[in-house]
Amino acid sequence: MEWKWDLLRLEFSPLVLTLFLLTFHGLAWQPTTLAAQYLSEQHEAAILAAARQNENSVVQIELIGGNPSFGQENSGAGPFSGTVIGRDGLIVTSGNFFAAPFAGIVVSTGDQGRLPARLVARDHSRNLALLKIEAPPAAWTEAKFIDGESLQVGQTVIALGRSLDSHTCSISFGILSATNRIGGKALQLDAKINLRNYGGLLVALDGRPIGVLAPLAPDSSSPDAGLDWYDSGIGFAIPIDAVHRSVGRLRHGEDQHIGQLGIMFDPTASPFDPPEIRSVHPGSPAALAGFRGGDLIVKLNGRTPNRISQVQDWVAPLYSGDAVEMVVSRKGDLVTALPELTSELPPYSQPLLGLIPDENSNPTSAKILMTWEGGPGAKAGLRGGDVIWQIDGEPTRNWERVREILNAKLPGDIITIDLRDSSNNNRSVQIELGKMNAEIWLEPSIKLANSFVAKSIKNAEFKNKATLFTSESSNLAKTLLVWLPEAGAPANDEWQAKLANSIPDTLALLVIESTDSQKWQTDDEEVVMEFLSLARRQLGADINQVAIGGHRSGASMAVLIGSRNRQFFQGLALRECGNSEPMDRLVVKPGLPLMIWLNRESSKEVVDSLPDLETSPPNNGQLPIFIDLKSYQSDVDFIQAIGSWALQLNRL
Amino acid sequence: MSLRIQLEKEFGTRWYLYAVGKTILQANRCLLGTLLLALTFQSSIFSQSTDSIIAQLPEWQSRVVKLTGAGGFERLESHQSGCLISPDGLILTVWSYVLDGDVTSATLYDGRKFDARLIGYDPESELAVLQIEDRGLPHFDLNSPAIIEIGSTVFALSNLYGIASGNEPVSVLRGSVLGFSRLNAKRGGKQIPYREKVMALDVVTSNPGSPGGAVVNRHGLMVGVIGKELQDANTNAWISFAIPSEQLKPIVDRIMLAKSSPKPSVGRPPTESLTARLLGLELVPDILPNTPPFVERTRPGSAAELAGIKADDLIVEVNGILVQSIRDLIAQLELIDRDSSVTITVERNQAFHQHVLRADR
C-alpha cells in the first residue's frame, strides 16, 4: 500500500505538478504562474461558484438506531451526506452506511427541516444506496448528468458534503487523479474524502455534477472497503451517468449486485495474455451456457478482447442479471452463448472419486494407488494399479489433467472413465461422483517405501539440533510435518531406521529439539519458524501443506506455535498433549483448519478448549478434523499414522 | 528523496524543495496527501513579483515557533508548534505533555532558541500561553480576528513531524476551509470538553508537530490555531481542525488573568426532569449501544396516550432536537423541566407526526 500512495502523491499533487511545470518555464521570471493556477482568487471564486450552484443538490442524512461500525472507522449514525438525484424525492448516498440494521432515516437541508426517508435499494457493485422522500422540498435541485467535455486527469474537482452543519455545504477540492478505477466503475480524486462527505456530490469547476462520493477499494466489496483511505489523497466517486443508470435499476426496489460470470483464467498468466478460459466454475452462468476450459474468448458484447485484462475490465462494471453476449473459439469452431450474470456463484463442492493417486511411479500416467472401500470409484470397479487414460473422451496423461477435469464437475455428475488395468486390458466405466467429505479412510495398509535420508539442518544462531527426513527420491513430499519431540528427547539416528519403510514418501518430516533439555520455552518459537523456513527452502515448491505436531511438552509447544502462525500451518498433530508451561498462553481461535490426532484424554481437553471445533468442519474435506483416541506406542507409530493421513490429502 | 535531488538540480542552488512524503500508519490513520512543501527561498527573487502571497510567506512563517519539550519516546513526539501573539514573546500553543517537562524550548525562525516559561493554560480549550524573553518579535494580532468563508484558501504553518530545525522556517501546507462544526471529539476514548464551533480544514493537520501552528488566510491574517490530534467522537476518524481566531482572544485573556473558564451555561439540568415514564411512554428494551427509540406501548390514560402517540411509533425529535437512540432521548428529556410541555415528533407510516404533551401531576 505505502509505495502506491507515495507514487500517487508525487504524481498528482498539484503543487508538485505545478512546480515541475514552472521549472521548465523558468521559475524566477514567472512566479505568478504558481499563484495563477492554485492560489489565485479567481480559482477560489470559481470553486465557490461551482459549490453554490450545486448546494441544493446536497443533503444531510442521519440514522435513528443505526450504528454501523466496521474496523477502526465507524460510520456512526451520521450525519453524513446525500445527493438529490431525482425531482420525485430520490436521494442517492453511499451504501456502506446501511450495512448494519437501523430503524429510521432522517434527511435534512438547512431551512427545510427534517424529513423521513426510506431505503429503496442498495447497489453493492458501486457502493450506493437509493433513498426516497415522499414530499421533497421545491428548493431541491437534482444532480443531473450534463454531457460536456470529457473528464481529464488533472482537472479541478470539488467535493461537496453536508455533514458538518445542515445549513451549509462543506467544500473540499483537489484534482482528478484517474478515471476508470475499480474495474472501470469509479473516478479517483485527491480531494479529502471522508465520512463527512461520502454520499455527497463531486462537481467540476464549471459547476457540472460529475459524480457521487463513495468509499471503494479494489478487490473488495465488503461494506468497509476503502474506509481506511479517508483523507489519504485517494478518494473515489461513481461517475454521475453511472449513478443515474444505477438509480434506474434501484428505483424498482431491488438490490443490485456485482455480476459474476464464473470463468477463471490461468492464475500464472499475464494480464496481456490472450483470454483463454482456464476453467469454469461448476454451476456458474458460464458453465450453464456451455463454456469450458480451453475456450478462447473472441467476442464479448460486440467487442473483441485480445487480452485477459480487457475481459476483466469489461465484465467488472456489469450487474447481476445483465446478459453477456460471448463468442469463444473452441478447436477452431466458434461457439456463441448469452450467459446471464448472477450475484453469487453456487458454492463449490468438490466431487469425490474415492481413490488415492499414485503420483510417483510414473509422472506421465494417471495410475491409481488404491481405492477407498465403499467409495464411488471402488463401487464402479476401479482398483489400485488401474490407469485412467481418458475421462469423457478427454485424454488424461497425468493426474494434473484428471484434477482439472474433476474440478469442473459437481457431486452427482456422471462421468465415463476409460481404464487400462494391470494386465493391460481396457475397459470403460461410468461413475456417479460423490461428495468430498472429511471422513478418514481408516488405516489404509499402504506400503510405500523408499528409504529415507536424514539431513541435519543447521543455523549458526541456534544450538538446537534439527533433522529433516525425506524420501531418497526427493521432491515427492507433498506434506511437511514439523515434529517437536518431548523436551530433552534426542532426535537421533534411530529415527531413520524406524522411519525407513514405514511412512509414505509424500511425507517429509522435520524434527526439532528443544533448546533447553528440560522444557520447551516460548523463545523456541523463533527457532522452529526459522528451521521451518530452511527446510521449506530445501524441499522446494512441491509442499502443499505443513502440519505441526509433537509429543507431551512438544505437543503443547506445537499448539502454541500453530495457533500463532496460522498462515504457515494447515494442521496440528498432538500426541499426549499435556498442560505444561506454554499451554497457559494457549489461545486458539476458530477458523484454523485443524487436523487433530489425539491419543489421551489430556489431549481431548485441548480439543474441548478449541471453540467451534465440532461445529465448523473444514471445507471440502481437505483438512479433516480427526480425533483418534488410540494410544500409540511411540512417536514413530504416530507419525506413520499421520503419514497415511497425509497421503489421503491427495485423494480424489 | 530523488525528487528533491532532481528539483535541486533543476532549480539551481537558490531553490530547495523538500517534498517529504511521509506515510504514517499510526493507529488507524493513513495521513498522506500530506505533501509537505517547505519553501525556503530568498525573497529577492520575488522583490519584483506581483504575487504578494509568495512574497509574504516567509514573514508569516516567522511568526510560528518550533517548540520542543517532554516526550520523544514511543509514539509521543517531543515537538509541537506555537504562534507568537505579541512583540514581547507571548506564544499561543496547545496544552500537551510536551509542555509538561522541566524545560520547554522555543526556536525562532532565525534559529535563536529560548527557554519558554508556561504562563498558564485553559483546561477546556486545551490552549496554553508561554512566554520567551525578547522584544520586537514578529507576531499575529489577536485583537482583529479575520473572518473566513468556507472554501477559502488557507495556509497551515506548523512544524509537522518536527521536520524543521534550527533556522529552518516551519512547513507550509496549502488547504481550504472545509466548513464549520461544533467540536465533538475524543482522544483515547475520552470526550474532549471543548464543544465550540471550530473550523474543519481541508488539509491534514492531525499530525504530530502540527498542533499549535497557525492557520492564515491569503493576507497572512491568522484565522485559527491548529488544534490537537483528535478523533471524531462518532466516527473515530482523525480530524483536522483549527480553533477560530475570534475564540482565541477571550481564551488568552482568561489564561493571562489566571481566571478559570466559566462553565457553559447550557445543559444545566432542571431540579426535576422529565422522563419517558412520567409522560406515559414505555420504550423497547434498551439493549444495544444505539437502540432506536421505538414506543413499545403507552400507559392507558397517560399524557402520551391522550396526545395520540401509538405503539411502534419511532421517536425522532424532542423539542426539535434529533434523538438517534434511547440514550439520546433520555438525555434530552433530562434537560426539560417536569412541568414543561414537550413536543415529541414520531415517525409513523413514513411521515412525521408532532405531539405536544405535558406530564401528569
Side-chain angles (χ1 to χ4, degrees), chain A residues 305-336:
Chain A
N306 42 41
R307 48 180 195 257
I308 289 174
S309 64
Q310 286 176 319
V311 173
Q312 290 166 333
D313 290 350
W314 296 347
V315 173
L318 301 176
Y319 288 101
S320 155
D322 286 348
V324 182
E325 195 195 354
M326 205 161 111
V327 184
V328 301
S329 158
R330 184 182 302 156
K331 291 173 186 151
D333 297 334
L334 291 183
V335 182
T336 306

PDB file of all heavy atoms in Angstrom, chain A residues 305-336:
ATOM      1  N   PRO A 305     -11.885  -8.834 -27.425  1.00  0.00           N
ATOM      2  CA  PRO A 305     -10.787  -8.701 -26.462  1.00  0.00           C
ATOM      3  C   PRO A 305      -9.550  -9.427 -26.966  1.00  0.00           C
ATOM      4  O   PRO A 305      -9.663 -10.507 -27.517  1.00  0.00           O
ATOM      5  CB  PRO A 305     -11.339  -9.396 -25.216  1.00  0.00           C
ATOM      6  CG  PRO A 305     -12.273 -10.430 -25.738  1.00  0.00           C
ATOM      7  CD  PRO A 305     -12.795  -9.939 -27.068  1.00  0.00           C
ATOM      8  N   ASN A 306      -8.391  -8.802 -26.821  1.00  0.00           N
ATOM      9  CA  ASN A 306      -7.209  -9.587 -27.151  1.00  0.00           C
ATOM     10  C   ASN A 306      -6.298  -9.832 -25.954  1.00  0.00           C
ATOM     11  O   ASN A 306      -5.222 -10.346 -26.093  1.00  0.00           O
ATOM     12  CB  ASN A 306      -6.434  -8.982 -28.330  1.00  0.00           C
ATOM     13  CG  ASN A 306      -6.359  -7.484 -28.200  1.00  0.00           C
ATOM     14  OD1 ASN A 306      -6.156  -6.981 -27.099  1.00  0.00           O
ATOM     15  ND2 ASN A 306      -6.538  -6.765 -29.301  1.00  0.00           N
ATOM     16  N   ARG A 307      -6.769  -9.443 -24.779  1.00  0.00           N
ATOM     17  CA  ARG A 307      -6.018  -9.835 -23.593  1.00  0.00           C
ATOM     18  C   ARG A 307      -6.968 -10.038 -22.411  1.00  0.00           C
ATOM     19  O   ARG A 307      -8.100  -9.552 -22.410  1.00  0.00           O
ATOM     20  CB  ARG A 307      -4.934  -8.818 -23.260  1.00  0.00           C
ATOM     21  CG  ARG A 307      -5.402  -7.385 -23.265  1.00  0.00           C
ATOM     22  CD  ARG A 307      -4.235  -6.483 -22.921  1.00  0.00           C
ATOM     23  NE  ARG A 307      -4.716  -5.169 -22.569  1.00  0.00           N
ATOM     24  CZ  ARG A 307      -4.651  -4.119 -23.382  1.00  0.00           C
ATOM     25  NH1 ARG A 307      -4.126  -4.255 -24.591  1.00  0.00           N
ATOM     26  NH2 ARG A 307      -5.107  -2.962 -22.995  1.00  0.00           N
ATOM     27  N   ILE A 308      -6.455 -10.758 -21.416  1.00  0.00           N
ATOM     28  CA  ILE A 308      -7.263 -11.123 -20.256  1.00  0.00           C
ATOM     29  C   ILE A 308      -7.819  -9.889 -19.550  1.00  0.00           C
ATOM     30  O   ILE A 308      -8.985  -9.838 -19.168  1.00  0.00           O
ATOM     31  CB  ILE A 308      -6.408 -11.970 -19.273  1.00  0.00           C
ATOM     32  CG1 ILE A 308      -6.144 -13.355 -19.873  1.00  0.00           C
ATOM     33  CG2 ILE A 308      -7.082 -12.104 -17.918  1.00  0.00           C
ATOM     34  CD1 ILE A 308      -5.195 -14.214 -19.066  1.00  0.00           C
ATOM     35  N   SER A 309      -6.972  -8.864 -19.402  1.00  0.00           N
ATOM     36  CA  SER A 309      -7.390  -7.691 -18.640  1.00  0.00           C
ATOM     37  C   SER A 309      -8.604  -7.009 -19.270  1.00  0.00           C
ATOM     38  O   SER A 309      -9.441  -6.450 -18.557  1.00  0.00           O
ATOM     39  CB  SER A 309      -6.231  -6.705 -18.507  1.00  0.00           C
ATOM     40  OG  SER A 309      -5.867  -6.226 -19.773  1.00  0.00           O
ATOM     41  N   GLN A 310      -8.707  -7.067 -20.591  1.00  0.00           N
ATOM     42  CA  GLN A 310      -9.879  -6.440 -21.219  1.00  0.00           C
ATOM     43  C   GLN A 310     -11.163  -7.165 -20.835  1.00  0.00           C
ATOM     44  O   GLN A 310     -12.174  -6.540 -20.530  1.00  0.00           O
ATOM     45  CB  GLN A 310      -9.723  -6.442 -22.744  1.00  0.00           C
ATOM     46  CG  GLN A 310      -8.715  -5.413 -23.208  1.00  0.00           C
ATOM     47  CD  GLN A 310      -8.499  -5.476 -24.709  1.00  0.00           C
ATOM     48  OE1 GLN A 310      -8.424  -6.565 -25.289  1.00  0.00           O
ATOM     49  NE2 GLN A 310      -8.388  -4.317 -25.331  1.00  0.00           N
ATOM     50  N   VAL A 311     -11.103  -8.483 -20.823  1.00  0.00           N
ATOM     51  CA  VAL A 311     -12.296  -9.242 -20.430  1.00  0.00           C
ATOM     52  C   VAL A 311     -12.684  -8.866 -19.008  1.00  0.00           C
ATOM     53  O   VAL A 311     -13.847  -8.597 -18.696  1.00  0.00           O
ATOM     54  CB  VAL A 311     -12.031 -10.765 -20.530  1.00  0.00           C
ATOM     55  CG1 VAL A 311     -13.201 -11.549 -19.955  1.00  0.00           C
ATOM     56  CG2 VAL A 311     -11.779 -11.151 -21.980  1.00  0.00           C
ATOM     57  N   GLN A 312     -11.664  -8.808 -18.129  1.00  0.00           N
ATOM     58  CA  GLN A 312     -11.956  -8.460 -16.732  1.00  0.00           C
ATOM     59  C   GLN A 312     -12.550  -7.054 -16.627  1.00  0.00           C
ATOM     60  O   GLN A 312     -13.526  -6.833 -15.920  1.00  0.00           O
ATOM     61  CB  GLN A 312     -10.675  -8.568 -15.895  1.00  0.00           C
ATOM     62  CG  GLN A 312     -10.240 -10.022 -15.719  1.00  0.00           C
ATOM     63  CD  GLN A 312      -8.823 -10.169 -15.196  1.00  0.00           C
ATOM     64  OE1 GLN A 312      -7.979  -9.297 -15.411  1.00  0.00           O
ATOM     65  NE2 GLN A 312      -8.551 -11.281 -14.524  1.00  0.00           N
ATOM     66  N   ASP A 313     -11.952  -6.093 -17.347  1.00  0.00           N
ATOM     67  CA  ASP A 313     -12.436  -4.715 -17.285  1.00  0.00           C
ATOM     68  C   ASP A 313     -13.838  -4.572 -17.853  1.00  0.00           C
ATOM     69  O   ASP A 313     -14.604  -3.713 -17.413  1.00  0.00           O
ATOM     70  CB  ASP A 313     -11.498  -3.783 -18.066  1.00  0.00           C
ATOM     71  CG  ASP A 313     -10.174  -3.615 -17.359  1.00  0.00           C
ATOM     72  OD1 ASP A 313     -10.074  -4.066 -16.200  1.00  0.00           O
ATOM     73  OD2 ASP A 313      -9.240  -3.064 -17.966  1.00  0.00           O
ATOM     74  N   TRP A 314     -14.168  -5.382 -18.856  1.00  0.00           N
ATOM     75  CA  TRP A 314     -15.489  -5.231 -19.478  1.00  0.00           C
ATOM     76  C   TRP A 314     -16.575  -5.918 -18.671  1.00  0.00           C
ATOM     77  O   TRP A 314     -17.734  -5.522 -18.716  1.00  0.00           O
ATOM     78  CB  TRP A 314     -15.455  -5.788 -20.916  1.00  0.00           C
ATOM     79  CG  TRP A 314     -14.523  -5.016 -21.806  1.00  0.00           C
ATOM     80  CD1 TRP A 314     -13.951  -3.798 -21.524  1.00  0.00           C
ATOM     81  CD2 TRP A 314     -14.025  -5.407 -23.087  1.00  0.00           C
ATOM     82  NE1 TRP A 314     -13.130  -3.409 -22.557  1.00  0.00           N
ATOM     83  CE2 TRP A 314     -13.152  -4.370 -23.540  1.00  0.00           C
ATOM     84  CE3 TRP A 314     -14.224  -6.518 -23.911  1.00  0.00           C
ATOM     85  CZ2 TRP A 314     -12.493  -4.429 -24.763  1.00  0.00           C
ATOM     86  CZ3 TRP A 314     -13.567  -6.574 -25.131  1.00  0.00           C
ATOM     87  CH2 TRP A 314     -12.711  -5.534 -25.555  1.00  0.00           C
ATOM     88  N   VAL A 315     -16.199  -6.959 -17.920  1.00  0.00           N
ATOM     89  CA  VAL A 315     -17.210  -7.666 -17.132  1.00  0.00           C
ATOM     90  C   VAL A 315     -17.439  -6.967 -15.783  1.00  0.00           C
ATOM     91  O   VAL A 315     -18.552  -6.920 -15.282  1.00  0.00           O
ATOM     92  CB  VAL A 315     -16.814  -9.151 -16.941  1.00  0.00           C
ATOM     93  CG1 VAL A 315     -17.779  -9.846 -15.985  1.00  0.00           C
ATOM     94  CG2 VAL A 315     -16.804  -9.873 -18.292  1.00  0.00           C
ATOM     95  N   ALA A 316     -16.354  -6.390 -15.230  1.00  0.00           N
ATOM     96  CA  ALA A 316     -16.433  -5.832 -13.869  1.00  0.00           C
ATOM     97  C   ALA A 316     -17.561  -4.810 -13.668  1.00  0.00           C
ATOM     98  O   ALA A 316     -18.201  -4.814 -12.622  1.00  0.00           O
ATOM     99  CB  ALA A 316     -15.095  -5.222 -13.469  1.00  0.00           C
ATOM    100  N   PRO A 317     -17.817  -3.901 -14.615  1.00  0.00           N
ATOM    101  CA  PRO A 317     -18.881  -2.914 -14.360  1.00  0.00           C
ATOM    102  C   PRO A 317     -20.290  -3.491 -14.464  1.00  0.00           C
ATOM    103  O   PRO A 317     -21.241  -2.802 -14.123  1.00  0.00           O
ATOM    104  CB  PRO A 317     -18.673  -1.864 -15.466  1.00  0.00           C
ATOM    105  CG  PRO A 317     -17.373  -2.181 -16.109  1.00  0.00           C
ATOM    106  CD  PRO A 317     -17.112  -3.627 -15.869  1.00  0.00           C
ATOM    107  N   LEU A 318     -20.435  -4.720 -14.934  1.00  0.00           N
ATOM    108  CA  LEU A 318     -21.777  -5.254 -15.178  1.00  0.00           C
ATOM    109  C   LEU A 318     -22.442  -5.706 -13.886  1.00  0.00           C
ATOM    110  O   LEU A 318     -21.787  -6.059 -12.916  1.00  0.00           O
ATOM    111  CB  LEU A 318     -21.696  -6.435 -16.149  1.00  0.00           C
ATOM    112  CG  LEU A 318     -21.085  -6.101 -17.523  1.00  0.00           C
ATOM    113  CD1 LEU A 318     -20.959  -7.364 -18.358  1.00  0.00           C
ATOM    114  CD2 LEU A 318     -21.928  -5.063 -18.244  1.00  0.00           C
ATOM    115  N   TYR A 319     -23.754  -5.684 -13.929  1.00  0.00           N
ATOM    116  CA  TYR A 319     -24.531  -6.102 -12.758  1.00  0.00           C
ATOM    117  C   TYR A 319     -25.025  -7.529 -12.933  1.00  0.00           C
ATOM    118  O   TYR A 319     -25.153  -8.037 -14.047  1.00  0.00           O
ATOM    119  CB  TYR A 319     -25.759  -5.206 -12.605  1.00  0.00           C
ATOM    120  CG  TYR A 319     -25.475  -3.801 -12.141  1.00  0.00           C
ATOM    121  CD1 TYR A 319     -25.441  -2.748 -13.047  1.00  0.00           C
ATOM    122  CD2 TYR A 319     -25.266  -3.524 -10.793  1.00  0.00           C
ATOM    123  CE1 TYR A 319     -25.201  -1.452 -12.625  1.00  0.00           C
ATOM    124  CE2 TYR A 319     -25.027  -2.227 -10.359  1.00  0.00           C
ATOM    125  CZ  TYR A 319     -25.003  -1.198 -11.275  1.00  0.00           C
ATOM    126  OH  TYR A 319     -24.771   0.080 -10.856  1.00  0.00           O
ATOM    127  N   SER A 320     -25.369  -8.111 -11.809  1.00  0.00           N
ATOM    128  CA  SER A 320     -26.066  -9.384 -11.820  1.00  0.00           C
ATOM    129  C   SER A 320     -27.381  -9.201 -12.586  1.00  0.00           C
ATOM    130  O   SER A 320     -28.060  -8.193 -12.413  1.00  0.00           O
ATOM    131  CB  SER A 320     -26.322  -9.774 -10.373  1.00  0.00           C
ATOM    132  OG  SER A 320     -27.416 -10.620 -10.289  1.00  0.00           O
ATOM    133  N   GLY A 321     -27.704 -10.165 -13.437  1.00  0.00           N
ATOM    134  CA  GLY A 321     -28.918 -10.037 -14.243  1.00  0.00           C
ATOM    135  C   GLY A 321     -28.636  -9.544 -15.653  1.00  0.00           C
ATOM    136  O   GLY A 321     -29.427  -9.759 -16.560  1.00  0.00           O
ATOM    137  N   ASP A 322     -27.475  -8.878 -15.839  1.00  0.00           N
ATOM    138  CA  ASP A 322     -27.092  -8.467 -17.185  1.00  0.00           C
ATOM    139  C   ASP A 322     -26.722  -9.712 -17.993  1.00  0.00           C
ATOM    140  O   ASP A 322     -26.093 -10.626 -17.463  1.00  0.00           O
ATOM    141  CB  ASP A 322     -25.859  -7.552 -17.149  1.00  0.00           C
ATOM    142  CG  ASP A 322     -26.196  -6.153 -16.643  1.00  0.00           C
ATOM    143  OD1 ASP A 322     -27.395  -5.836 -16.553  1.00  0.00           O
ATOM    144  OD2 ASP A 322     -25.256  -5.399 -16.348  1.00  0.00           O
ATOM    145  N   ALA A 323     -27.082  -9.718 -19.239  1.00  0.00           N
ATOM    146  CA  ALA A 323     -26.676 -10.821 -20.105  1.00  0.00           C
ATOM    147  C   ALA A 323     -25.438 -10.383 -20.887  1.00  0.00           C
ATOM    148  O   ALA A 323     -25.296  -9.219 -21.236  1.00  0.00           O
ATOM    149  CB  ALA A 323     -27.795 -11.196 -21.056  1.00  0.00           C
ATOM    150  N   VAL A 324     -24.541 -11.321 -21.106  1.00  0.00           N
ATOM    151  CA  VAL A 324     -23.322 -11.018 -21.842  1.00  0.00           C
ATOM    152  C   VAL A 324     -23.313 -11.865 -23.100  1.00  0.00           C
ATOM    153  O   VAL A 324     -23.467 -13.084 -23.029  1.00  0.00           O
ATOM    154  CB  VAL A 324     -22.080 -11.392 -20.993  1.00  0.00           C
ATOM    155  CG1 VAL A 324     -20.818 -11.032 -21.732  1.00  0.00           C
ATOM    156  CG2 VAL A 324     -22.122 -10.703 -19.642  1.00  0.00           C
ATOM    157  N   GLU A 325     -23.127 -11.211 -24.209  1.00  0.00           N
ATOM    158  CA  GLU A 325     -23.022 -11.995 -25.439  1.00  0.00           C
ATOM    159  C   GLU A 325     -21.564 -12.383 -25.616  1.00  0.00           C
ATOM    160  O   GLU A 325     -20.683 -11.531 -25.704  1.00  0.00           O
ATOM    161  CB  GLU A 325     -23.512 -11.191 -26.646  1.00  0.00           C
ATOM    162  CG  GLU A 325     -23.741 -12.101 -27.824  1.00  0.00           C
ATOM    163  CD  GLU A 325     -23.864 -11.347 -29.133  1.00  0.00           C
ATOM    164  OE1 GLU A 325     -23.882 -10.099 -29.119  1.00  0.00           O
ATOM    165  OE2 GLU A 325     -23.933 -12.024 -30.167  1.00  0.00           O
ATOM    166  N   MET A 326     -21.317 -13.684 -25.609  1.00  0.00           N
ATOM    167  CA  MET A 326     -19.936 -14.147 -25.597  1.00  0.00           C
ATOM    168  C   MET A 326     -19.723 -15.162 -26.709  1.00  0.00           C
ATOM    169  O   MET A 326     -20.520 -16.078 -26.884  1.00  0.00           O
ATOM    170  CB  MET A 326     -19.655 -14.785 -24.237  1.00  0.00           C
ATOM    171  CG  MET A 326     -18.227 -14.770 -23.828  1.00  0.00           C
ATOM    172  SD  MET A 326     -18.113 -15.009 -22.043  1.00  0.00           S
ATOM    173  CE  MET A 326     -17.397 -16.617 -21.978  1.00  0.00           C
ATOM    174  N   VAL A 327     -18.664 -14.935 -27.468  1.00  0.00           N
ATOM    175  CA  VAL A 327     -18.306 -15.882 -28.517  1.00  0.00           C
ATOM    176  C   VAL A 327     -16.929 -16.433 -28.186  1.00  0.00           C
ATOM    177  O   VAL A 327     -16.005 -15.673 -27.893  1.00  0.00           O
ATOM    178  CB  VAL A 327     -18.267 -15.198 -29.906  1.00  0.00           C
ATOM    179  CG1 VAL A 327     -17.986 -16.222 -31.001  1.00  0.00           C
ATOM    180  CG2 VAL A 327     -19.564 -14.458 -30.179  1.00  0.00           C
ATOM    181  N   VAL A 328     -16.806 -17.768 -28.197  1.00  0.00           N
ATOM    182  CA  VAL A 328     -15.497 -18.357 -27.944  1.00  0.00           C
ATOM    183  C   VAL A 328     -15.083 -19.201 -29.139  1.00  0.00           C
ATOM    184  O   VAL A 328     -15.906 -19.642 -29.930  1.00  0.00           O
ATOM    185  CB  VAL A 328     -15.480 -19.248 -26.675  1.00  0.00           C
ATOM    186  CG1 VAL A 328     -15.879 -18.446 -25.457  1.00  0.00           C
ATOM    187  CG2 VAL A 328     -16.354 -20.478 -26.840  1.00  0.00           C
ATOM    188  N   SER A 329     -13.787 -19.384 -29.242  1.00  0.00           N
ATOM    189  CA  SER A 329     -13.252 -20.272 -30.263  1.00  0.00           C
ATOM    190  C   SER A 329     -12.823 -21.552 -29.567  1.00  0.00           C
ATOM    191  O   SER A 329     -12.052 -21.524 -28.608  1.00  0.00           O
ATOM    192  CB  SER A 329     -12.064 -19.577 -30.930  1.00  0.00           C
ATOM    193  OG  SER A 329     -11.239 -20.526 -31.536  1.00  0.00           O
ATOM    194  N   ARG A 330     -13.407 -22.662 -30.019  1.00  0.00           N
ATOM    195  CA  ARG A 330     -13.088 -23.962 -29.417  1.00  0.00           C
ATOM    196  C   ARG A 330     -12.634 -24.893 -30.523  1.00  0.00           C
ATOM    197  O   ARG A 330     -13.420 -25.266 -31.379  1.00  0.00           O
ATOM    198  CB  ARG A 330     -14.318 -24.520 -28.703  1.00  0.00           C
ATOM    199  CG  ARG A 330     -14.070 -25.818 -27.965  1.00  0.00           C
ATOM    200  CD  ARG A 330     -15.351 -26.319 -27.334  1.00  0.00           C
ATOM    201  NE  ARG A 330     -15.915 -25.357 -26.411  1.00  0.00           N
ATOM    202  CZ  ARG A 330     -17.207 -25.318 -26.089  1.00  0.00           C
ATOM    203  NH1 ARG A 330     -18.052 -26.150 -26.644  1.00  0.00           N
ATOM    204  NH2 ARG A 330     -17.651 -24.417 -25.235  1.00  0.00           N
ATOM    205  N   LYS A 331     -11.356 -25.214 -30.490  1.00  0.00           N
ATOM    206  CA  LYS A 331     -10.760 -26.082 -31.520  1.00  0.00           C
ATOM    207  C   LYS A 331     -11.166 -25.611 -32.915  1.00  0.00           C
ATOM    208  O   LYS A 331     -11.582 -26.389 -33.772  1.00  0.00           O
ATOM    209  CB  LYS A 331     -11.198 -27.542 -31.318  1.00  0.00           C
ATOM    210  CG  LYS A 331     -10.589 -28.138 -30.050  1.00  0.00           C
ATOM    211  CD  LYS A 331     -11.163 -29.517 -29.791  1.00  0.00           C
ATOM    212  CE  LYS A 331     -10.685 -30.063 -28.466  1.00  0.00           C
ATOM    213  NZ  LYS A 331     -11.621 -30.983 -27.843  1.00  0.00           N
ATOM    214  N   GLY A 332     -11.108 -24.301 -33.112  1.00  0.00           N
ATOM    215  CA  GLY A 332     -11.383 -23.764 -34.441  1.00  0.00           C
ATOM    216  C   GLY A 332     -12.832 -23.422 -34.684  1.00  0.00           C
ATOM    217  O   GLY A 332     -13.152 -22.640 -35.580  1.00  0.00           O
ATOM    218  N   ASP A 333     -13.763 -23.985 -33.901  1.00  0.00           N
ATOM    219  CA  ASP A 333     -15.176 -23.648 -34.085  1.00  0.00           C
ATOM    220  C   ASP A 333     -15.540 -22.446 -33.219  1.00  0.00           C
ATOM    221  O   ASP A 333     -14.976 -22.254 -32.155  1.00  0.00           O
ATOM    222  CB  ASP A 333     -16.063 -24.823 -33.656  1.00  0.00           C
ATOM    223  CG  ASP A 333     -15.824 -26.037 -34.529  1.00  0.00           C
ATOM    224  OD1 ASP A 333     -15.409 -25.841 -35.691  1.00  0.00           O
ATOM    225  OD2 ASP A 333     -16.016 -27.162 -34.029  1.00  0.00           O
ATOM    226  N   LEU A 334     -16.491 -21.676 -33.703  1.00  0.00           N
ATOM    227  CA  LEU A 334     -16.979 -20.565 -32.900  1.00  0.00           C
ATOM    228  C   LEU A 334     -18.243 -21.004 -32.168  1.00  0.00           C
ATOM    229  O   LEU A 334     -19.139 -21.598 -32.752  1.00  0.00           O
ATOM    230  CB  LEU A 334     -17.288 -19.347 -33.771  1.00  0.00           C
ATOM    231  CG  LEU A 334     -16.058 -18.664 -34.394  1.00  0.00           C
ATOM    232  CD1 LEU A 334     -16.483 -17.438 -35.179  1.00  0.00           C
ATOM    233  CD2 LEU A 334     -15.034 -18.293 -33.330  1.00  0.00           C
ATOM    234  N   VAL A 335     -18.269 -20.740 -30.858  1.00  0.00           N
ATOM    235  CA  VAL A 335     -19.443 -21.086 -30.064  1.00  0.00           C
ATOM    236  C   VAL A 335     -19.973 -19.799 -29.443  1.00  0.00           C
ATOM    237  O   VAL A 335     -19.226 -19.048 -28.830  1.00  0.00           O
ATOM    238  CB  VAL A 335     -19.077 -22.087 -28.950  1.00  0.00           C
ATOM    239  CG1 VAL A 335     -20.312 -22.468 -28.152  1.00  0.00           C
ATOM    240  CG2 VAL A 335     -18.402 -23.311 -29.536  1.00  0.00           C
ATOM    241  N   THR A 336     -21.246 -19.517 -29.630  1.00  0.00           N
ATOM    242  CA  THR A 336     -21.851 -18.295 -29.094  1.00  0.00           C
ATOM    243  C   THR A 336     -22.863 -18.648 -28.013  1.00  0.00           C
ATOM    244  O   THR A 336     -23.587 -19.633 -28.149  1.00  0.00           O
ATOM    245  CB  THR A 336     -22.573 -17.522 -30.209  1.00  0.00           C
ATOM    246  OG1 THR A 336     -21.647 -17.303 -31.256  1.00  0.00           O
ATOM    247  CG2 THR A 336     -23.092 -16.177 -29.706  1.00  0.00           C
TER     248      THR A 336
END
